[in-house]
Amino acid sequence: MFGFGQPKLSSEEKIAAVENEIKVMTEMQTRMAKICSQKCLDRTYREGELSKGEASCLDRCSVKFFEAHTTISEQLQKEQAAKGGMMGR
C-alpha cells in the first residue's frame, strides 16, 4: 500500500531467488544423505536392502537434519530482517 514495505521483485530477481533456493535445498539434501548414511548404514553391506534399524535410523536422522536446517534458516532470516530494519534508520 502506497509503495511502502517490501520492494517488488523483477522476474529476473524472482527466478534468481528460486534458483538459489533450489541450490540450497540440493546442497542440504546432499549433506544430509552423506551424514545420515555414514551414521546409519552398515559398511559391510551384508544385505541387498536396508534393515529395519537402518531405515529407522535414516528416517530419524533425516527428520532431525531437516528440522535443524529449518530452524537455522528461520533464525538467519530473522537476523537479516533485523539488520535490514536497522539499516533503514
Side-chain angles (χ1 to χ4, degrees):
M1 188 170 159
F2 303 109
F4 295 106
Q6 293 284 57
K8 299 236 180 199
L9 298 176
S10 69
S11 294
E12 293 84 17
E13 290 171 323
K14 289 177 185 177
I15 291 169
V18 170
E19 288 175 342
N20 187 52
E21 184 67 20
I22 290 170
K23 179 182 173 191
V24 167
M25 293 302 290
T26 301
E27 290 172 354
M28 184 208 60
Q29 193 275 335
T30 301
R31 284 191 318 272
M32 178 183 66
K34 180 180 178 185
I35 290 168
C36 291
S37 65
Q38 288 174 344
K39 179 180 190 276
C40 299
L41 300 181
D42 182 5
R43 297 286 177 256
T44 60
Y45 302 108
R46 289 175 276 168
E47 300 176 28
E49 299 199 12
L50 294 175
S51 69
K52 286 184 182 181
E54 290 171 328
S56 178
C57 180
L58 286 169
D59 182 55
R60 285 191 310 269
C61 181
S62 61
V63 167
K64 288 179 182 179
F65 196 96
F66 187 74
E67 287 175 351
H69 177 80
T70 301
T71 300
I72 291 167
S73 294
E74 289 171 354
Q75 185 61 38
L76 289 173
Q77 288 176 354
K78 287 178 186 176
E79 290 177 12
Q80 285 290 358
K83 286 181 182 178
M86 289 182 168
M87 299 291 280
R89 291 182 180 189

